[in-house]
Amino acid sequence: MNRRISEVAAYAGVSTATVGRVLNGRTGVSAPTREAVLAALDVCGIERPVGLRGERAALIGLVVPDLQNPVFSAFSEALCVLLDRRGLIPVLCTHSQDGVSEAHYIEMLLRQNIGGIVFVGASYADAGPEHGRVLRERGIPMVLVNAADENSGVAQVRVDDALAAEQALAHLAALGHERIGMVLGPGGHVPSARKLAGFAAFCGRRGVAPEEWRRLVAYALFTMEGGATALPRLLAEGVTGVVCASDALALGVIRGARRQGLRVPEDLSVVGFDDSPFMVATDPPLTTARQPVQAMAAAAVAALVGQIEGRADANDLLMFDTELIVRGSTAGRPR
């Protein structure tokens, strides 16, 4: 235990005697020093003394599905920087190859009396109803960024998926494309459902019957292989342009097109979603809907801090528009 106290003292930048005074509830310790010691206890995984467990820790959980998707990495980096500026300590929790789940991370965060949680591209509901109930009962400040499912009573920050889809479709239509397909995420993924609603509205304005446009929609996992696998069925429907629900899907569609001997954009135009890092450097550079990652991350942190300080409503919804970035993966309809 003495060794661990030394670790806490080193992290907090104080003496072991000061740590001892905080642990024993003694006077003579300033409020900032006391908070630094408590935060060091949380970081080092040492339970707070019983009398101090009712206080929120400065730790903030960042729960993301994975870091292979570049946009999740971008959100994580932006959130970590902004939390640090607020004096909060981010704890990154992501799926790993050994199958660590949201439920495991939430249990760990609750043991540390976490100060709040930001879910990116996921939802606390993914961890199961029991963990969701505990989070609500404890009043843990939470913000969902582009949540994968519907949630009520939780602050949310997201993009207008329907509008983003319609902007991409309008771009391809202006280039002369008439048969435009869409590759979405798995069934039940709410952002994909919103993009589908945008597709339905766009097709409705063009007089395309539902039974017709539904044949132009494919569903896949959010991977490059998912996009490549989804493409052949759309090509069989005669599409000359494809709008995808993520950049990874779009890159997979481009790979699948090349497997079919097609050129992008000469034979097939492709639009992605996210404007992940390096999309400007792909071959061809990808036309994609850019999420305002920095602005969304700032809004999420502000909403979280507002809850921590008792100033914000947990039901707030902040919606952002995307920006269509036109690059080399789209061109006029092939003759």
Side-chain angles (χ1 to χ4, degrees):
M1 187 61 183
N2 288 336
R3 182 178 62 82
R4 303 210 67 190
I5 293 300
S6 297
E7 292 175 1
V8 172
Y11 188 92
V14 299
S15 68
T16 56
T18 298
V19 174
R21 283 196 292 271
V22 173
L23 292 177
N24 293 313
R26 295 175 182 168
T27 58
V29 180
S30 67
T33 299
R34 180 173 174 277
E35 289 301 319
V37 171
L38 292 176
L41 288 171
D42 298 328
V43 171
C44 294
I46 300 174
E47 287 192 6
R48 295 184 177 201
V50 174
L52 300 175
R53 290 178 189 174
E55 301 182 22
R56 294 276 184 225
L59 300 181
I60 302 297
L62 299 183
V63 181
V64 299
D66 63 73
L67 294 178
Q68 296 183 9
N69 187 328
V71 76
F72 292 149
S73 300
F75 269 114
S76 298
E77 181 179 3
L79 288 164
C80 285
V81 171
L82 292 166
L83 288 169
D84 179 69
R85 290 176 182 171
R86 298 273 192 160
L88 299 170
I89 304 169
V91 179
L92 184 60
C93 305
T94 183
H95 277 304
S96 59
Q97 292 182 349
D98 59 4
V100 177
S101 65
E102 283 94 343
H104 171 84
Y105 283 124
I106 289 176
E107 289 175 359
M108 177 191 72
L109 295 172
L110 287 172
R111 286 198 300 270
Q112 297 301 323
N113 198 30
I114 197 74
I117 304 178
V118 179
F119 294 87
V120 181
S123 168
Y124 73 88
D126 292 342
E130 179 61 23
H131 289 93
R133 181 187 61 78
V134 172
L135 289 170
R136 290 190 298 271
E137 287 180 351
R138 292 197 186 182
I140 304 294
M142 291 184 291
V143 179
L144 311 183
V145 179
N146 289 335
D149 51 17
E150 295 286 5
N151 297 277
S152 59
V154 185
Q156 296 196 49
V157 176
R158 66 177 178 86
V159 295
D160 190 334
D161 292 284
L163 179 61
E166 294 193 58
Q167 288 175 339
L169 293 161
H171 168 65
L172 291 178
L175 292 173
H177 295 271
E178 297 176 356
R179 300 284 287 178
I180 304 172
M182 178 166 272
V183 180
L184 300 173
H189 183 253
V190 169
S192 290
R194 296 191 185 110
K195 292 181 179 70
L196 180 62
F199 186 60
F202 176 84
C203 292
R205 289 194 298 271
R206 292 163 62 92
V208 181
E211 58 271 19
E212 176 65 21
W213 61 253
R214 287 193 181 101
R215 295 206 301 269
L216 304 179
V217 179
Y219 298 89
L221 296 176
F222 282 107
T223 63
M224 290 181 61
E225 194 56 40
T229 302
L231 180 63
R233 188 176 70 77
L234 297 182
L235 292 176
E237 295 291 339
V239 303
T240 59
V242 180
V243 175
C244 302
S246 77
D247 290 339
L249 285 172
L251 294 178
V253 165
I254 292 173
R255 175 184 289 180
R258 288 172 174 162
R259 289 174 181 170
Q260 301 283 329
L262 301 177
R263 300 166 299 167
V264 176
E266 293 84 355
D267 302 315
L268 182 73
S269 287
V270 181
V271 180
F273 184 86
D274 286 334
D275 194 28
S276 309
F278 310 121
M279 291 304 103
V280 69
T282 59
D283 181 23
L286 187 66
T287 295
T288 183
R290 173 181 291 169
Q291 293 197 65
V293 171
Q294 292 295 330
M296 293 174 71
V301 170
L304 187 76
V305 172
Q307 291 179 60
I308 293 172
E309 297 178 350
R311 297 181 287 99
D313 189 343
N315 292 299
D316 284 345
L317 170 61
L318 299 172
M319 191 179 306
F320 289 78
D321 291 340
T322 59
E323 178 186 4
L324 187 67
I325 307 300
V326 179
R327 298 193 181 106
S329 65
T330 54
R333 177 171 63 90
R335 297 184 180 276

